[in-house]
Amino acid sequence: MRHLATIRKIKELRPIPNADRIEVAVIDGWECIVNKSDGFKVEDPIIYIEIDSVLPDKPEFEFMRKYKFRVKTIKLRGQVSQGLVLPISVLENHPNIPDIVEGADVTEWLGITKYDPEAAQDKVWYQKLGKKVEFPWWLKPFKRIKFIREWWLKRNQTVADFPSFIKKTDEERIQNLPELFEDLKKNEIPLTITEKMDGTSATYFLKDGKFGVCSRNKWLLKDDGSPYWAVAHHYNIEDYLRNVTGNPKKGLVVLQGEIIGPNIQKNKYHLSGFLFMPFNLIFNGKRCDYKQMRTALEFATISAVPYVSEFIVPHDWDIQQLVKYAKGVSLMRYGKEPREGIVCRNQEKNISFKVINPDFLLKEEE
């Protein structure tokens, strides 16, 4: 489970121009607006709650009702705020919570969940997962027999858990990786920067000769008319994976990417059909770098996620300057609308993280 609420310390407090009642609290790489009346001080232990968190409907969180209990990116007096800072005293209502130490995860204890529109969309598409499987008339007299019942259920199963032999796609935000950020600067580690697309992630694989299709959270065992299978057919992905690997009977090749288009995340790219843009190509556990992936995709009519640049974080930058670097227009939105952000990678050192553009979140009310 993702750590949405953690015990952290305030690293810095800064004034906001022309604001008497509020100030900026810096928590690791995050900047949050807090009320001066709360009396926070530098090095105070606090509860930090990430954006895209949903708080439970409880008296101590009543002040969040007007936001439907969701923590979002906001902007006040020209200052962007990402996250919610609460005093440790909030935990007084949870007497069984473990020791309060820096870094402790209190997500579950506070009843906080993640706002996840992609998962909600998946739930709508795959409500059939929980549907009762119908037995034909000729089989009903025998469904009480265990092996016959299990055979029929397996035969008609359309969705299964995401395969354990593939890692799900979920990049961490740089604001939660302050030590990595300092290491990037100190060692001048080169990064390949690509544009982060706001769609739904899809995974296609060939394992021991068997082709598979997955949404972000589920293995789609049969063609169900979903965007994931529509993309598989449109781009002939099964044929591509067989051709690029020589169609081996052993081993694993994985192609992961983002699907954008109609009815996906409000179709921010204004497309009339589905577009699949890969960001991962993995051969037997080894992930290709961007150039290798793009070269491999030349054999198919598939374009990788947009390339931005090769980049080394300057020594004098802080995380907020990298966030500013993530701003800019999308290469897929006619050069006029903000991009969702960037993804930064170094394959040799197994480094991968995302930097979200706050302008995008504010414009799209995300």
Side-chain angles (χ1 to χ4, degrees), residues 7 15 59 73 80 82 91 113 133 148 201 224 228 270 286 341 348:
I7 305 300
T73 297
V80 172
Q82 293 190 295
L91 295 174
T113 56
V133 174
I148 291 180
S201 61
D224 51 12
Y228 309 100
H270 315 297
K286 184 177 181 181
E348 292 183 2

Side-chain angles (χ1 to χ4, degrees), residues 25 78 90 93 111 129 137 160 173 180 228 230 262 274 321 325 332 347:
V90 169
N93 296 324
L129 178 63
W137 65 267
R173 296 174 188 257
L180 171 62
Y228 309 100
F274 296 122
Q321 285 171 298
Y325 179 80
M332 297 296 297
Q347 300 303 122

Side-chain angles (χ1 to χ4, degrees), residues 118 162-171 194-195 197 200-206 211-218 228 231 237 240-241 244 252-260 275-283 285-290 293-294 297 302-306 343 345 347 350 352:
E118 188 175 343
F162 194 89
S164 59
F165 49 83
I166 300 175
K167 184 179 179 180
K168 288 186 180 181
T169 60
D170 190 14
E171 306 286 351
T194 57
E195 180 176 336
M197 308 304 296
T200 183
S201 61
T203 295
Y204 302 97
F205 67 88
L206 199 66
F211 178 63
V213 175
C214 305
S215 66
R216 191 183 69 173
N217 296 307
K218 297 296 179 183
Y228 309 100
V231 163
I237 292 179
Y240 167 72
L241 293 180
V244 78
L252 173 68
V253 59
V254 179
L255 183 65
Q256 296 176 309
E258 203 79 2
I259 299 175
I260 56 177
L275 181 63
F276 177 59
M277 309 190 79
F279 49 71
N280 273 342
L281 180 59
I282 305 167
F283 290 95
K286 184 177 181 181
R287 187 164 61 183
C288 299
D289 62 30
Y290 183 83
M293 178 180 69
R294 190 166 58 180
L297 290 173
I302 307 175
S303 298
V305 289
V343 176
R345 286 179 171 170
Q347 300 303 122
N350 196 30
S352 183

Side-chain angles (χ1 to χ4, degrees), residues 135-344:
F135 288 79
W137 65 267
W138 53 269
L139 193 60
K140 285 183 179 180
F142 306 100
K143 72 176 185 178
R144 69 184 64 185
I145 303 174
K146 183 178 179 181
F147 81 89
I148 291 180
R149 183 172 63 252
E150 291 179 346
W151 163 77
W152 184 255
L153 291 173
K154 184 175 181 181
R155 178 178 176 180
N156 287 273
Q157 184 180 9
T158 60
V159 184
D161 291 336
F162 194 89
S164 59
F165 49 83
I166 300 175
K167 184 179 179 180
K168 288 186 180 181
T169 60
D170 190 14
E171 306 286 351
E172 181 61 273
R173 296 174 188 257
I174 187 59
Q175 288 95 331
N176 289 327
L177 303 169
E179 294 181 1
L180 171 62
F181 181 76
E182 294 303 318
D183 191 47
L184 291 172
K185 294 193 298 181
K186 178 181 178 181
N187 296 302
E188 298 183 345
I189 297 174
L191 299 169
T192 297
I193 312 295
T194 57
E195 180 176 336
K196 187 180 184 308
M197 308 304 296
D198 187 31
T200 183
S201 61
T203 295
Y204 302 97
F205 67 88
L206 199 66
K207 178 175 173 58
D208 300 336
K210 179 183 178 181
F211 178 63
V213 175
C214 305
S215 66
R216 191 183 69 173
N217 296 307
K218 297 296 179 183
W219 183 350
L220 314 181
L221 302 175
K222 296 181 180 180
D223 187 348
D224 51 12
S226 67
Y228 309 100
W229 273 99
V231 163
H233 294 313
H234 178 74
Y235 290 97
N236 298 314
I237 292 179
E238 180 177 358
D239 289 342
Y240 167 72
L241 293 180
R242 294 190 186 283
N243 290 334
V244 78
T245 59
N247 197 20
K249 294 183 179 180
K250 294 290 183 181
L252 173 68
V253 59
V254 179
L255 183 65
Q256 296 176 309
E258 203 79 2
I259 299 175
I260 56 177
N263 301 315
I264 296 177
Q265 306 288 35
K266 301 178 183 178
N267 194 12
K268 298 180 180 72
Y269 303 93
H270 315 297
L271 298 175
S272 58
F274 296 122
L275 181 63
F276 177 59
M277 309 190 79
F279 49 71
N280 273 342
L281 180 59
I282 305 167
F283 290 95
N284 294 323
K286 184 177 181 181
R287 187 164 61 183
C288 299
D289 62 30
Y290 183 83
K291 291 181 179 179
Q292 291 169 335
M293 178 180 69
R294 190 166 58 180
T295 298
L297 290 173
E298 289 177 356
F299 297 99
T301 56
I302 307 175
S303 298
V305 289
Y307 172 81
V308 176
S309 68
E310 300 296 320
F311 185 74
I312 295 178
V313 181
H315 288 279
D316 58 348
W317 274 25
D318 60 18
I319 287 180
Q320 288 306 312
Q321 285 171 298
L322 185 57
V323 172
K324 290 179 181 178
Y325 179 80
K327 295 182 177 183
V329 295
S330 171
L331 298 173
M332 297 296 297
R333 303 182 81 185
Y334 307 106
K336 297 180 180 180
E337 299 180 73
R339 62 189 175 203
E340 186 189 7
I342 56 177
V343 176
C344 308

Side-chain angles (χ1 to χ4, degrees), residues 57-181:
D57 186 349
K58 293 183 177 180
E60 59 263 42
F61 302 129
E62 181 62 28
F63 67 95
M64 289 293 292
R65 183 175 297 280
K66 59 183 177 181
Y67 303 109
K68 298 181 179 179
F69 296 98
R70 179 185 160 199
V71 181
K72 300 171 63 174
T73 297
I74 62 172
K75 192 174 186 179
L76 293 173
R77 298 294 181 94
Q79 171 66 47
V80 172
S81 179
Q82 293 190 295
L84 181 64
V85 177
L86 298 178
I88 292 292
S89 59
V90 169
L91 295 174
E92 293 176 356
N93 296 324
H94 303 270
N96 295 322
I97 203 163
D99 292 339
I100 305 302
V101 295
E102 187 174 4
D105 175 24
V106 293
T107 304
E108 185 177 353
W109 292 96
L110 293 177
I112 294 173
T113 56
K114 184 179 185 298
Y115 172 73
D116 193 342
E118 188 175 343
Q121 188 166 257
D122 265 7
K123 186 176 181 180
V124 172
W125 281 333
Y126 299 111
Q127 286 180 340
K128 66 179 72 174
L129 178 63
K131 279 188 176 182
K132 182 179 178 181
V133 174
E134 295 293 334
F135 288 79
W137 65 267
W138 53 269
L139 193 60
K140 285 183 179 180
F142 306 100
K143 72 176 185 178
R144 69 184 64 185
I145 303 174
K146 183 178 179 181
F147 81 89
I148 291 180
R149 183 172 63 252
E150 291 179 346
W151 163 77
W152 184 255
L153 291 173
K154 184 175 181 181
R155 178 178 176 180
N156 287 273
Q157 184 180 9
T158 60
V159 184
D161 291 336
F162 194 89
S164 59
F165 49 83
I166 300 175
K167 184 179 179 180
K168 288 186 180 181
T169 60
D170 190 14
E171 306 286 351
E172 181 61 273
R173 296 174 188 257
I174 187 59
Q175 288 95 331
N176 289 327
L177 303 169
E179 294 181 1
L180 171 62
F181 181 76

